[in-house]
Amino acid sequence: MCGIVGYIGKQDTTKYLLDGLKELEYRGYDSAGIALLNTDKIDVFKALGKLENLKNKVDNASLSSSYEIGIGHTRWATHGKPTELNAHPHLGEYSYVVHNGIIENYKELKEELIEQGHSFVSQTDTEVIVHLFENYQNKLNNPIEAFKETISRLDGAFSILLISKADPSKIFFFKHGSPLIVAQGNEEGEVLFASSDAPLIGLANDVVYLEDGVGGIASTEGIEFLSDDYSWSTLPTSKQFAQKDGYRFFMEKEIYEQSDVVSDCMLGRIQDNGIDFDEIDESLIEGIKEIKICACGTSYHAGLTSSYLFERLSKVKCNVEIASEFRYKEPLLSDDTLFIVISQSGETADTLEALKMAKNAGLKSLVVCNVDNSSMTRTADHTILTRAGIEKGVASTKAFSTQTVVLWMLALYFAKAKETISSEKLQEELHALREVPKSLIVEDKLHEKTRRLAKRYLHGHGFFFIGRDVFFPLALEGALKLKEISYLHAEGYPAGEMKHGPIALADPELFTIALMPQNLLYDKIKSNVEELSARDSTICAISPLDFELADDFIKTLKTDHYMLEFFEMLIALQLLSMEISIRLGNDVDMPRNLAKSVTVE
Ligand code: F6R
């Protein structure tokens, strides 16, 4: 996601900021900016697109002053389009801020500040921070107190660097949610900031990985923390390792990230009595009798999962099609249908064409997407961003979990608007949604178990992944993950379909991965698995309930909602396919024959 850098010292501030942002490029961004402070003067540069554009602007400015303080940022749009105005650093009257995360209560704060005479130029949540700071500074004339007051008013996730002419020798910093590191530089009086290790390597040895709720003030005199809750560590030395945050593969990093990115995805959207999306209002569903979803691959699986939720919760007819099939079937479209496309990249050719067809037929359209300003977000009437940050591994992981969460929230949004859900049931669903990040935490025990299982599942003539209801699309996703990166043959099936043909393949060399949730159709899936076991298939059950016929068992935690089981099982499936791929010696992040974005038909 977004990247932050900051510098205090006598070396080349601009160089540290630009080189540091370059090191953070792997996190993905759509715009970038830096602010340079020199006693009573702040110079700011912002540019859309590649860092090269920012660097050109800085070079063309032929800066004469030397700056001892600077902050920089690469932005991945979440609130407001990728434009220069929305790029960080954000300005008040005399201060600048860079921020990673999402300010959940920014709308209330913005209203309050506008009433007090502040004017805003961007569509971002971030801009409230700098105005809030100046509002307090104008009253208190004490930048440290003003900064503390500011922090105390913010809800959500916020890692911040703030500079101000009110005290031009300092950087004010705070971490809550998104990562932030402060380092003592190798040169005297030097303090460096970055949102991950990579920009710091070679320039510092001693760093503090800030904990949530910890902040402070830095100057050439040193770093003053606002609490005692910090400790110094030594920086790793490998940049490649640092870019993957210490994980072996980007896919592994992205599996582990899911709990955090799903929290980001939900921030500000789950309210006490329903769901709120900045991007849409209830007019979207006026006159809508049906939903049609189109997508490809993993995004199609998220769509298929949501069709159960749309029909169950919002009582809207929902059908889902693979975009490449939809395009040529001469589909019958009517304007009481809401057309939803789902895409991580926003560029997949078949999905984009399906969207254009629906628009030409006069349908209302919505894209659930991870990349703002992509072809699909520019084409669709409405966009809901998944806020997963860049996904580097070719095998999609966090895109799927965030898409599924967005679609689940959308089903609840519709359910409430159409009054198809009781307030009691709505509260249960909201409660379950809030628990999703916990279900996505990767437990060491689970990872170790999949590592051990991977040894035994390298041979055989194939895999069946079976499930019912939403666990059927999850079975499809589990099978797709495995075949993509292990090159082993795997199929996902609705468990009830086995006896209509596929069970003929059952023998000890056929591995069945059975998704057996406690909270949804347990007895039904159990008897389907028993049938396979009776035909000697090797069974790996994933379930919170013991199942004596299982040859292998991945135990998930007991929860009270089937969607929480869904996300726990998702993690197990992703880890299992990754561990099998590693054992086979494959390139996990760049599997053969595959591309991250499929922009051809
Ligand atoms: C699987 C995978 C692909 C994509 C598909 C659609 O791991 O990544 O199946 O899901 O190519 O891509 P997007 O979502 O970018 O439209």
Side-chain angles (χ1 to χ4, degrees), residues 147-161:
F147 187 64
K148 285 191 202 160
E149 291 290 340
T150 304
I151 296 303
S152 72
R153 298 289 311 280
L154 304 177
D155 290 339
F158 44 92
S159 286
I160 297 168
L161 299 183

Side-chain angles (χ1 to χ4, degrees), residues 285 288-292 306-319 336 338 411 414-415 418 420:
I285 31 179
I288 294 299
K289 297 218 167 60
E290 196 175 330
I291 295 173
K292 185 177 280 294
S306 72
S307 67
Y308 293 85
L309 303 173
F310 280 119
E311 297 210 345
R312 184 167 293 144
L313 299 168
S314 3
K315 310 287 177 219
V316 197
K317 208 162 131 195
C318 177
N319 62 64
D336 58 5
L338 172 64
F414 286 4
K418 292 172 80 280
T420 57

Side-chain angles (χ1 to χ4, degrees), residues 111-140:
E111 274 168 27
E112 179 186 319
L113 288 158
I114 288 173
E115 260 172 38
Q116 297 189 43
H118 291 259
S119 40
F120 285 77
V121 292
S122 80
Q123 303 161 298
T124 66
D125 51 337
T126 301
E127 203 183 346
V128 296
I129 304 171
V130 72
H131 287 285
L132 202 56
F133 170 79
E134 292 188 350
N135 204 43
Y136 284 115
Q137 169 59 16
N138 295 346
K139 288 179 191 150
L140 303 170

Side-chain angles (χ1 to χ4, degrees), residues 296-299 342-346 348 351 394-396 403 480-481 484 596 598:
C296 301
T298 289
S299 298
I342 308 165
S343 177
Q344 188 285 126
S345 59
T348 302
T351 313
V394 166
S396 195
Q403 287 165 347
L480 178 65
K481 265 332 55 121
E484 275 181 296
K596 184 68 191 159
V598 185

Side-chain angles (χ1 to χ4, degrees), residues 35-68:
L36 302 157
L37 175 59
N38 180 8
T39 325
D40 56 352
K41 185 167 176 272
I42 301 184
D43 283 313
V44 178
F45 301 90
K46 297 184 187 189
L48 269 184
K50 291 281 152 210
L51 278 172
E52 215 38 45
N53 303 340
L54 178 65
K55 189 170 178 316
N56 287 341
K57 279 196 173 175
V58 176
D59 289 348
N60 291 340
S62 323
L63 299 169
S64 54
S65 324
S66 64
Y67 302 89
E68 290 191 4

Side-chain angles (χ1 to χ4, degrees), residues 203-479:
L203 304 175
N205 290 321
D206 300 322
V207 297
V208 176
Y209 295 94
L210 293 167
E211 299 291 338
D212 281 349
V214 177
I217 304 107
S219 70
T220 47
E221 308 290 298
I223 305 163
E224 188 190 323
F225 291 92
L226 294 174
S227 71
D228 293 336
D229 197 10
Y230 68 92
S231 56
W232 290 92
S233 323
T234 307
L235 200 61
T237 49
S238 154
K239 275 195 183 168
Q240 249 237 326
F241 191 71
Q243 287 202 339
K244 292 180 188 151
D245 284 350
Y247 294 102
R248 295 166 292 174
F249 300 96
F250 281 110
M251 182 186 180
E252 187 175 35
K253 171 175 174 280
E254 287 157 6
I255 292 173
Y256 273 76
E257 255 171 24
Q258 288 177 108
S259 173
D260 285 345
V261 293
V262 159
S263 299
D264 288 349
C265 170
M266 296 191 308
L267 265 180
R269 290 170 169 171
I270 303 182
Q271 309 290 324
D272 289 345
N273 58 356
I275 299 292
D276 181 34
F277 287 107
D278 277 353
E279 300 93 332
I280 55 169
D281 59 44
E282 286 181 11
S283 64
L284 179 67
I285 31 179
E286 268 162 31
I288 294 299
K289 297 218 167 60
E290 196 175 330
I291 295 173
K292 185 177 280 294
I293 297 180
C294 255
C296 301
T298 289
S299 298
Y300 167 75
H301 298 154
L304 204 52
T305 305
S306 72
S307 67
Y308 293 85
L309 303 173
F310 280 119
E311 297 210 345
R312 184 167 293 144
L313 299 168
S314 3
K315 310 287 177 219
V316 197
K317 208 162 131 195
C318 177
N319 62 64
V320 191
E321 297 199 40
I322 291 180
S324 55
E325 285 300 306
F326 172 84
R327 283 179 67 182
Y328 297 105
K329 70 186 282 202
E330 298 179 26
L332 297 177
L333 298 172
S334 64
D335 58 12
D336 58 5
T337 301
L338 172 64
F339 197 80
I340 303 181
V341 286
I342 308 165
S343 177
Q344 188 285 126
S345 59
E347 301 297 344
T348 302
D350 285 319
T351 313
L352 180 59
E353 277 315 308
L355 172 62
K356 287 181 183 161
M357 279 169 66
K359 279 208 73 170
N360 289 340
L363 272 63
K364 280 189 198 171
S365 60
L366 167 73
V367 58
V368 174
C369 192
N370 194 31
V371 183
D372 203 358
N373 221 26
S374 57
S375 302
M376 282 182 226
T377 63
R378 280 185 273 118
T379 308
D381 300 328
H382 304 274
T383 297
I384 299 183
L385 292 177
T386 50
R387 304 175 179 166
I390 194 168
E391 192 178 59
K392 297 272 276 192
V394 166
S396 195
T397 52
K398 59 179 180 168
F400 178 76
S401 43
T402 50
Q403 287 165 347
T404 307
V405 163
V406 164
L407 292 160
W408 182 9
M409 291 193 287
L410 196 61
L412 290 171
Y413 181 84
F414 286 4
K416 175 143 188 237
K418 292 172 80 280
E419 298 178 4
T420 57
I421 193 166
S422 68
S423 52
E424 219 175 27
K425 175 81 181 142
L426 179 62
Q427 284 308 324
E428 274 170 34
E429 294 286 309
L430 295 176
H431 175 73
L433 263 171
R434 290 191 192 96
E435 295 293 303
V436 175
K438 263 196 231 153
S439 304
L440 286 169
I441 292 172
V442 182
E443 301 290 346
D444 289 350
K445 226 167 102 189
L446 172 68
H447 198 160
E448 183 49 35
K449 176 87 194 192
T450 57
R451 228 176 252 139
R452 276 188 283 122
L453 280 180
K455 276 192 261 180
R456 309 189 35 202
Y457 285 89
L458 302 178
H459 311 291
H461 59 73
F463 286 77
F464 277 170
F465 286 70
I466 59 168
R468 282 175 168 260
D469 203 278
V470 291
F471 295 88
F472 158 52
L474 184 59
L476 290 176
E477 176 58 10

